[in-house]
Amino acid sequence: MALSDLVTVERNEDGIAAVLGILKQQLGERFQTGQAIREQHAHTTTYIPTQAPDGVAFCETTEEVRSVVRACAAHRVPVIAFGVGTSLEGHVNAPGGGISVDLSRMSRILAVNAEDLDCRVEPGVTREQLNQHLRDTGLFFPIDPGANATLGGMAATRASGTNAVRYGTMRENVLSLTAVMADGETVTTGQRARKSSAGYDLTRLLVGSEGTLGIITELTLKLQGIPQAISGGVCPFPTLEAASQAVIQTIQMGIPVARIELVNALQMRAMKTYSKLDYPESPCLFLEFHGSDAGVAEQAETFGMIAEENGGGPFLWTSVAEERSKLWKARHDAYWASLTLRPGAKGLSTDVCVPISRLAECVAATEADIAEMGLIAPIVGHAGDGNFHVLALMDPEDAGEVALVERFVARLNMRAIAMEGTCTGEHGIGQGKVGFLKAEHGHGVELMRQIKRALDPDNIMNPGKILPA
C-alpha cells in the first residue's frame, strides 16, 4: 500500500456544476453541499487523505437513487454510495469529486419470512438494527464485522467477521439484491429460492464490487436460528505459533466452532488495560460454540484437550450471557484498545488471509517483520478461516514512518499472495490495496476491466477504486 498507488480521477467541473443544480431542485434540503457534511462522507480510518464529494444526496427510495444516478450519468459525474462510513480502505473517498449517495435513510425492514429463514431489507439497515428486530422471532443474522455497519455496505464490501468460520461471509448470505446500475436502470439479481441455475450469478458479481458497478438498494438475506446454547471463553498460549497450531487442529478435527479469534500478546496487553480484562498478557484464542447444551460442553472440552496438547490453557469458558458479552465487547473494541499503546498515533489497519495450513507460518513471519522494523503493531485474527489483521501505529505526518509502514504492509500482502492467499480477506481493495490486485489476479484484472467497461462505460460508479490505473 502506498499513496503513490492511488488512482487519479479527472474532475468534470462543468458536469459537476450542472448536477449540483439538478439535485438541489430534485431533493431540496436533502441535498447538502456544506464542507463539513461533505468531509464526513469521505472520512476514512486509514491514513489516506480525505477526498470529499461535491454534494451529498440523502435518498429515501430506489426511485430517488435512480434519479441521482441518471443525472450523474447524463453529465458524466462520479457517484459514490455511502452507508455509515466504516470501510477501511478509502472506499467512500471521491478522488474526482462528484455526488455521495447517503443510503442511511433507506432503513426499512421490508419483510421477515420466518418459515423460510430469510428477510428483505433496505441497504441502510444496520446489522444491530436487524438483529434487534429479529429478537422475538428466534432468528438472527450472523455476519458480524465488529462495527455496526449497514447491510448494503457489508454486501458491497463482501464483509465477514468473527462468525464467518461457521456461517460464512456476505457472499454466502445474500440470496438476491436490487441495484441501480450506471445507466440508471434497476436490476434484481434473483428470487428467494435457496439455489438457482438460471443464468449468470449477478448476485455474486455485485456482492464485493464496492459500488463500482451499481448501488445496492435492497437485499434478501439468509437468517439463522438462535442456538439453544452458547458457550465461550479465552485460552492463553505460550506462543502465537502454538495458538495458531491449535486453531488448525480444531478446524481439521471438524469441531463446529462458531468463533475462534486469535490475539497476540501485545494486543492482549492493550485489551486488558482498555477493557479491564483479567487474562494473561500472552497470545490467546477467544472462542464461542453454538448448539445444544450437551454439544457446546463437548466442543469446549475437546478444544481444551487440543489446547493442552499445544502447551495452552487453562481454557476458561462460560455459558453465562453477561460474561460472554463482556468478552466479545472487548474483542470488538480491539481497535480502540490498540490506540492506547501509542497515544496520539493513528492506526493503519490491514488484513490478509491465507490457507489455514499456512496461518502459523504467516503470523510468525509477520511478527518477525514487526520486530525487525521496530513497529508497534498488534495482531488480531479471525483465525478459523486464516484471516488476520494488523494495526500499525504511526504518525501520518512523519514521511519516514509512513514509508516504513507502507513497506511493512507491502511485504505482508506479497507474503500472503505467495502463500496462495489474498491481500485482503475482508477489508476489500478500495483505494488502499489497488497496487496488489494484479499480483494476486494476473490477467484476471483485465477481465475485471472489461466487466467494468461493459457495465459502466463512462466510469462514474465509485471511480478510482479496485482497478489499477
Side-chain angles (χ1 to χ4, degrees):
M1 177 178 181
L3 291 179
S4 59
D5 292 325
L6 299 184
V7 177
T8 301
V9 179
E10 186 176 349
R11 285 181 60 86
N12 176 3
E13 298 291 357
D14 292 342
I16 290 170
V19 168
L20 291 179
I22 292 169
L23 296 184
K24 189 62 179 177
Q25 283 190 326
Q26 288 182 353
L27 296 172
E29 291 303 309
R30 288 190 291 112
F31 183 67
Q32 296 290 320
T33 56
Q35 181 176 346
I37 201 161
R38 290 190 295 111
E39 289 182 350
Q40 288 169 10
H41 283 75
H43 75 81
T44 173
T45 50
T46 74
Y47 76 112
I48 299 171
T50 294
Q51 297 168 311
D54 294 281
V56 180
F58 291 88
C59 294
E60 296 181 352
T61 65
T62 296
E63 188 55 44
E64 286 186 347
V65 176
R66 290 182 68 189
S67 295
V68 172
V69 172
R70 284 175 173 172
C72 290
H75 295 276
R76 297 189 177 186
V77 169
V79 56
I80 303 101
F82 186 93
V84 291
T86 57
S87 56
L88 292 165
E89 294 291 351
H91 297 84
V92 297
N93 262 346
I99 305 302
S100 174
V101 178
D102 187 309
L103 301 164
S104 61
R105 299 188 186 188
M106 295 180 66
S107 58
R108 294 182 301 161
I109 297 169
L110 302 171
V112 175
N113 305 295
E115 291 183 346
D116 293 321
L117 279 79
D118 68 48
C119 67
R120 192 162 56 90
V121 302
E122 290 184 326
V125 176
T126 68
R127 64 173 187 86
E128 289 183 4
Q129 178 189 348
L130 177 58
N131 280 323
Q132 182 75 13
H133 182 86
L134 293 171
R135 218 171 32 170
D136 297 333
T137 68
L139 304 174
F140 79 114
F141 183 68
I143 309 305
D144 178 5
N148 188 26
T150 60
L151 293 164
M154 288 169 61
T157 55
R158 203 187 297 131
S160 51
T162 58
N163 281 324
V165 63
R166 175 155 182 167
Y167 297 106
T169 72
M170 288 299 286
R171 180 184 64 190
E172 291 79 35
N173 286 278
V174 178
L175 287 171
S176 69
L177 54 82
T178 297
V180 175
M181 307 305 285
D183 59 359
E185 293 299 320
T186 303
V187 61
T188 297
T189 63
Q191 305 293 334
R192 289 201 299 120
R194 286 299 174 115
K195 62 181 181 179
S196 171
S197 297
Y200 297 139
D201 192 342
L202 299 179
T203 304
R204 301 305 176 278
L205 176 63
L206 289 170
V207 171
S209 63
E210 301 182 13
T212 62
L213 302 178
I215 296 178
I216 296 169
T217 61
E218 192 175 301
L219 304 103
T220 300
L221 304 171
K222 293 181 184 178
L223 302 176
Q224 301 287 335
I226 296 174
Q228 173 193 340
I230 301 175
S231 71
V234 176
C235 186
F237 286 84
T239 65
L240 208 56
E241 292 86 346
S244 299
Q245 288 297 336
V247 171
I248 293 169
Q249 291 171 26
T250 299
I251 301 302
Q252 289 176 341
M253 283 189 65
I255 299 173
V257 62
R259 303 182 185 186
I260 183 164
E261 298 286 293
L262 179 67
V263 175
N264 78 341
L266 182 60
Q267 181 67 74
M268 200 66 202
R269 184 202 309 168
M271 291 168 68
K272 280 189 65 176
T273 302
Y274 186 83
S275 299
K276 307 298 188 290
L277 298 180
D278 186 22
Y279 295 108
E281 286 186 15
S282 66
C284 288
L285 293 177
F286 287 39
L287 297 100
E288 190 167 274
F289 305 98
H290 295 177
S292 65
D293 291 324
V296 297
E298 181 182 2
Q299 292 164 31
E301 290 169 5
T302 303
F303 172 77
M305 291 187 286
I306 292 173
E308 187 176 353
E309 290 174 2
N310 285 278
F315 177 38
L316 307 173
W317 63 279
T318 179
S319 58
V320 178
E322 292 78 8
E323 295 178 10
R324 287 189 295 100
S325 295
K326 180 182 179 182
L327 173 69
W328 291 108
K329 177 69 164 60
R331 169 60 186 89
H332 287 324
D333 285 346
Y335 175 88
W336 306 109
S338 298
L339 297 180
T340 66
L341 294 169
R342 186 180 170 187
K346 299 291 185 182
L348 189 158
S349 180
T350 190
D351 84 310
V352 296
C353 189
V354 295
I356 192 167
S357 62
R358 306 295 298 273
L359 177 64
E361 179 185 357
C362 192
V363 170
T366 302
E367 278 210 315
D369 281 352
I370 291 168
E372 176 191 328
M373 295 182 173
L375 296 172
I376 300 175
I379 294 175
V380 298
H382 312 311
D385 47 25
N387 182 202
F388 68 93
H389 306 252
V390 185
L391 187 71
L393 300 175
M394 66 176 185
D395 176 2
E397 304 301 320
D398 185 324
E401 276 196 37
V402 171
L404 180 67
V405 171
E406 287 180 343
R407 287 201 304 275
F408 166 74
V409 172
R411 190 183 296 185
L412 173 60
N413 289 338
M414 296 306 293
R415 176 183 298 118
I417 293 169
M419 290 182 171
E420 299 178 278
T422 174
C423 66
T424 175
E426 60 185 18
H427 288 188
I429 295 296
Q431 292 175 298
K433 297 213 173 189
V434 164
F436 304 100
L437 197 67
K438 191 166 183 63
E440 182 169 330
H441 286 286
H443 183 64
V445 173
E446 181 53 36
L447 297 182
M448 294 181 198
R449 288 191 197 282
Q450 292 177 28
I451 293 169
K452 171 72 168 171
R453 283 195 291 263
L455 298 182
D456 181 18
D458 291 325
N459 192 28
I460 66 167
M461 304 302 289
N462 208 10
K465 318 297 167 61
I466 298 184
L467 296 173

